[in-house]
Amino acid sequence: MKILHICAIGDTAQILLRPQIDYLLSHNLSVEIACSPGLEVEQLQQQGYIVHPIQIDRRISPFLNLKSIYQLTRLIQKNQYDLVHVHTPIAAVLGRIAAKLAGVKRIVYTAHGFPFHDQSSLSQYRFYFIVEKFAAFITDLILTQNHEDIATAKKLGLCPPEKVCYLGNGVDIDRFKCDRLNLAHQNQLRKSLGIPDSRNLIIGTIGRITRKKGSKYLIEATAKLLPHFPNLQVLVIGSQLDTDPEPFQAELIKKIHSLGIEEHITLTGKRQDIPELLGLLDIFVLPTFSHEGLPRSILEAMSMSLPVVTTDIRGCREAVIHGKTGLIVLPQNSQKLAEALGILLSNYELRQAYGQASRERVEVKYDEELVFARLSKYYEELGIYSISHK
């Protein structure tokens, strides 16, 4: 059986989708990827994955969007896929139109957070809801990463209720595990990042450097915390993509320098050694304020037994239990963020308790094996050859 996964950028395929794709490949399914060309695509191809480079813009641009639909339709017709599985908002709409035009019998959409949410303006909410409702007509199954999106879809009548199901999100709980860390390697990693020995408290965040991930609020919170915690270091793990519609890194660096705290901030750029970097942290923070499904970065941090400070938005408030595995604060509020971080920075026992509870929660609810089992079941119900019994 042949499956095509469609997403906008190689980063999504490489980081978010690869575990699912590896699982499907291990069960003798033919799985290919279509996404915009780039370094990540070349890396995936070198590793043996079949990736079709098709430019898919991450913004609404009628001419370019129609060109993507045309190219995707030709690819799907040529290769006769049994199922097309789409991801990320714009690529998901274009991919579903192309799959329908090409006559694909099974079309699945993973909503990594619906593009309409409680942080949207009214006009944005209406527009994206209408687009998603239209696309739902040509979708056989909509999978969500959180329960809130299912409730929203049913309440607003996005599609027939039986068409939307919970997939969730998960991590490799054996890879993201404190016991795997090597102390000598961790000390070397710390030195390689230029973190002074005097820095006895480290907080960090992971994500592409975009405005919506809220790193500006983390930087402002750090400036408020430093008078009370002068030995604090902050790691901002991630990079800015060339294709990001709103470049933000230069503005973030300017903010760091304007506050005079550059010695306390480390921008690591894109990294592959995420478990090891998380192993350096005392607290994980994700100050995002917009488009989240169920952030993988939070689950990775929880799997590494870290307490989490995040914002009261969809996905984040589902992963983190306030007062048990971390603290949840108002989005876009550096004062509240600083206060929450201050509570944890000043209380080692509380950090340990939240971190232990985080690990326990991930083991029960967010092991990626649970996601694979659900995906297998949904595929089988759509008539894809039995996966789980092979």
Side-chain angles (χ1 to χ4, degrees):
M1 301 293 274
K2 293 181 73 173
I3 297 167
L4 178 69
H5 280 262
I6 299 174
C7 57
I9 55 174
D11 224 29
T12 302
Q14 195 177 57
I15 297 168
L16 300 184
L17 305 183
R18 192 161 62 169
Q20 289 179 31
I21 290 168
D22 286 343
Y23 173 80
L24 296 171
L25 288 168
S26 73
H27 287 76
N28 300 321
L29 290 166
S30 166
V31 187
E32 300 176 8
I33 305 162
C35 63
S36 299
L39 179 61
E40 292 84 4
V41 167
E42 291 168 21
Q43 289 170 346
L44 286 166
Q45 288 171 332
Q46 285 162 9
Q47 290 160 0
Y49 296 92
I50 299 172
V51 189
H52 304 278
I54 291 177
Q55 186 60 45
I56 302 173
D57 256 49
R58 293 161 61 208
R59 57 197 167 90
I60 296 165
S61 169
F63 174 73
L64 294 173
N65 296 159
L66 285 169
K67 188 177 175 185
S68 299
I69 291 170
Y70 173 71
Q71 292 178 331
L72 286 167
T73 304
R74 284 189 63 189
L75 171 71
I76 295 166
Q77 285 174 332
K78 179 185 169 191
N79 290 327
Q80 296 291 299
Y81 298 102
D82 297 291
L83 181 146
V84 169
H85 193 149
V86 298
H87 308 265
T88 62
I90 291 177
V93 174
L94 305 182
R96 281 181 278 179
I97 294 169
K100 195 68 180 175
L101 290 172
V104 174
K105 289 189 172 62
R106 307 166 186 89
I107 302 172
V108 178
Y109 165 41
T110 296
H112 299 258
F114 286 133
F116 54 92
H117 48 80
D118 55 9
Q119 301 294 311
S120 307
S121 69
L122 188 59
S123 60
Q124 284 176 326
Y125 197 102
R126 281 180 178 156
F127 174 75
Y128 284 116
F129 176 75
I130 290 166
V131 171
E132 289 284 332
K133 191 171 174 66
F134 155 74
F137 278 118
I138 55 172
T139 311
D140 296 294
L141 183 64
I142 297 172
L143 301 176
T144 73
Q145 294 199 311
N146 60 66
H147 290 94
E148 197 172 319
D149 273 340
I150 292 181
T152 301
K154 290 180 178 177
K155 179 183 167 189
L156 298 178
L158 180 75
C159 60
E162 64 276 7
K163 199 183 264 193
V164 60
C165 298
Y166 176 72
L167 178 65
N169 202 350
V171 292
D172 182 343
I173 61 171
D174 294 322
R175 179 175 173 236
F176 287 87
K177 193 174 187 181
C178 290
D179 301 354
R180 286 187 65 250
L181 300 177
N182 175 287
L183 185 60
H185 178 271
Q186 290 301 105
N187 289 334
Q188 186 56 43
L189 177 60
R190 185 185 163 112
K191 282 193 177 70
S192 72
L193 292 166
I195 301 172
D197 293 339
S198 61
R199 302 284 199 264
N200 60 358
L201 290 167
I202 304 176
I203 62 179
T205 189
I206 298 174
R208 293 204 301 270
I209 296 183
T210 64
R211 188 180 307 280
K212 291 174 181 176
K213 287 291 179 186
S215 45
K216 174 175 93 85
Y217 299 99
L218 174 57
I219 298 307
E220 291 173 352
T222 303
K224 296 176 192 295
L225 289 165
L226 281 169
H228 311 285
F229 303 96
N231 292 329
L232 176 65
Q233 190 74 19
V234 175
L235 300 187
V236 179
I237 303 160
S239 62
Q240 176 178 286
L241 294 182
D242 296 338
T243 56
D244 276 327
E246 298 177 344
F248 184 64
Q249 187 162 321
E251 188 178 325
L252 185 67
I253 292 168
K254 188 177 176 185
K255 166 68 78 173
I256 293 166
H257 283 275
S258 72
L259 293 168
I261 58 172
E262 53 269 26
E263 289 182 7
H264 293 268
I265 309 291
T266 304
L267 302 177
T268 70
K270 186 178 179 180
R271 302 283 297 218
Q272 303 296 331
D273 53 346
I274 299 300
E276 291 74 19
L277 288 167
L278 287 169
L280 297 176
L281 305 184
D282 297 289
I283 303 166
F284 180 78
V285 56
L286 188 69
T288 175
F289 61 88
S290 182
H291 190 117
E292 298 293 346
L294 196 86
R296 178 77 58 91
S297 60
I298 285 181
L299 302 184
E300 290 172 348
M302 289 171 67
S303 193
M304 292 295 293
S305 304
L306 283 171
V308 177
V309 176
T310 190
T311 47
D312 187 13
I313 69 164
R314 176 192 61 194
C316 297
R317 56 181 166 234
E318 187 165 310
V320 176
I321 301 176
H322 181 72
K324 185 174 181 187
T325 67
L327 298 171
I328 295 174
V329 300
L330 286 170
Q332 301 185 78
N333 189 319
S334 54
Q335 181 59 41
K336 294 294 183 189
L337 188 62
E339 288 169 11
L341 287 166
I343 289 167
L344 287 173
L345 286 168
S346 58
N347 193 328
Y348 172 80
E349 287 77 16
L350 192 61
R351 294 200 302 271
Q352 293 298 106
Y354 284 1
Q356 186 180 339
S358 285
R359 173 68 192 184
E360 289 167 2
R361 181 165 170 77
V362 165
E363 286 177 355
V364 172
K365 289 187 73 76
Y366 299 118
D367 181 344
E368 66 180 7
E369 294 292 333
L370 298 170
V371 178
F372 300 157
R374 289 184 203 114
L375 188 64
S376 295
K377 178 169 104 37
Y378 295 138
Y379 274 14
E380 286 178 27
E381 287 168 359
L382 287 169
I384 295 296
Y385 290 156
S386 179
I387 298 169
S388 55
H389 309 304
K390 284 199 175 186

